[in-house]
Amino acid sequence: MKNFVYSIPTNIYFGKGQVEKLGKILAPYGRKVLLVYGGGSIKKNGIYDTVTGLLEEAKMSWEELSGVEPNPRITTVRRGAQLCREKAIEVVLPIGGGSTIDCAKMVAAAACYDGDAWDLVKNGRAIKKALPIVSILTLAATGSEMDTFAVISDMDSHDKIGTGSPLLRPAASILDPSYTESVSAYQTAAGTADIMSHIFEAYFSRTDGYMQDRMAEGLLKTCIEFGVKAVEEPQDYEARANLMWASSWAINDFISLGKPVAWSVHPMEHELSAYYDITHGVGLAILTPHWMRYVLNEDTAPKFKAYGVNVWGIAKELPDMEAAGLAIEKTAEYFRQLGLPSTLTEVGIDDQLFEEMAEKVVPQLKYAFMPLDKEAIVSIYRAAL
């Protein structure tokens, strides 16, 4: 296990009715608020009225940045940063899933930066200051409510880039599982796949981390237990609550510190959604089993076997390669049980841009669980057709 420093300064307010504390939560950070949200679902389900009513009650003023895209655009970040400067915004309040929170994070940083916001996306080290962020989560998926990362797209250049800085971690996040009960079955399933993928990215590392791996396996079992339940019974509060909390812990550094590794499947999927604007979790569910099959060999099989034995209950007496293969098939089958597509063809993607996308991915996989060259990445894309 490698050395690390661990700190999660985000204050979490978990459970039904926690939004009632909003005024007190925001007060230490300012009274001029930027409300950030997506396509308007928060107005249909009543969250918008609740939040604005609480802001009025707390005598706080607010501006609105609406229309945040599912793959948030740099153009929207620029618009939000300009609004912050013009209106002297003091605290940023995203209401939504990971896309909305990611956008809000970069708005908070870009508002304190003299150059173009895209500079900060390309280089997180350039982030020297950011407005405080308080998030209200409505979709369990990305873990943005408790992590230091944001992923932003430039659709003109077909770039989708993840950036990170400790300054992007929300100061506080309100997690009310009941707010996710109106999320569609498709998005619930995609969110579950995203959570699992975050865990896989940390789990499949060549650096030993016994305790971290056992925690990761517990989180994976939580997703497997409650993902399908939430899809089939959307009002199941316990299913929603467990998925929401698993989402936060999948990517708040707890299971990755001490065993660093470059991510593998996320960079490949980012290219899919940058070029084709597909749902991120869907792309991950499609690619993950094919990545697993490609990197499986005699050297990596023990790790996949441990995953199969400890998460799926596969018999430990089986040979490594057999157990590993079963674990991968169970993973693919579970994504199908969630109702997610299993091929790129199903989401309208052909092989025309595979070479171009793979070229962009190669530099990001230099220190991955298994480093992959351009030919290998193209092979994984083709296998997923």
Side-chain angles (χ1 to χ4, degrees), residues 170-236:
S173 289
I174 297 170
L175 278 60
D176 183 340
S178 66
Y179 282 177
T180 70
E181 290 176 1
S182 61
V183 174
S184 70
Y186 188 75
Q187 290 298 331
T188 298
T192 302
D194 197 1
I195 300 167
M196 293 177 69
S197 184
H198 290 157
I199 302 166
F200 289 142
E201 300 284 22
Y203 184 81
F204 289 101
S205 168
R206 298 303 181 97
T207 303
D208 289 335
Y210 183 90
M211 186 278 282
Q212 295 96 318
D213 284 352
R214 303 296 80 76
M215 297 296 293
E217 289 160 358
L219 289 169
L220 286 167
K221 291 176 77 170
T222 299
C223 292
I224 292 164
E225 175 70 19
F226 292 106
V228 171
K229 285 183 179 179
V231 167
E232 295 178 348
E233 303 174 40
Q235 308 304 311
D236 185 330

Side-chain angles (χ1 to χ4, degrees), residues 19-23 26 31 33-37 40 42-66 93-95 136 174 179:
V19 74
E20 296 298 327
K21 299 182 176 74
L22 184 61
L26 289 170
R31 309 196 72 80
V33 180
L34 179 66
L35 193 59
V36 183
Y37 56 96
I42 66 168
K43 292 186 175 180
K44 295 176 184 177
N45 60 26
I47 299 174
Y48 176 88
D49 289 340
T50 297
V51 169
T52 54
L54 290 167
L55 292 176
E56 285 182 352
E57 185 179 307
K59 295 182 170 52
M60 294 181 175
S61 63
W62 72 92
E63 302 293 332
E64 297 185 17
L65 177 66
S66 62
L93 177 63
I95 308 174
I136 300 175
I174 297 170
Y179 282 177

Side-chain angles (χ1 to χ4, degrees), residues 139-141 180 182-194 227-228 230-232 234 240 269 277-286 335-344 346-348:
L139 172 65
T180 70
S182 61
V183 174
S184 70
Y186 188 75
Q187 290 298 331
T188 298
T192 302
D194 197 1
V228 171
V231 167
E232 295 178 348
R240 295 291 187 178
E269 196 294 319
D277 203 21
I278 66 170
T279 300
H280 177 55
V282 172
L284 293 171
I286 293 170
F335 290 147
R336 288 192 290 270
Q337 282 184 309
L338 286 171
L340 293 171
S342 55
T343 67
L344 295 177
E346 291 174 73
V347 293

Side-chain angles (χ1 to χ4, degrees), residues 103-123:
C103 181
K105 287 178 177 180
M106 292 314 300
V107 167
C112 303
Y113 180 66
D114 291 335
D116 182 60
W118 192 245
D119 298 341
L120 306 181
V121 177
K122 291 189 295 183
N123 179 18

Side-chain angles (χ1 to χ4, degrees), residues 5 35 108 119 143 155 177 223 240 251 255 288 313 352 380:
V5 175
L35 193 59
D119 298 341
M155 302 310 288
C223 292
R240 295 291 187 178
I251 192 176
I255 62 172
T288 294
Q352 292 186 25
I380 293 170

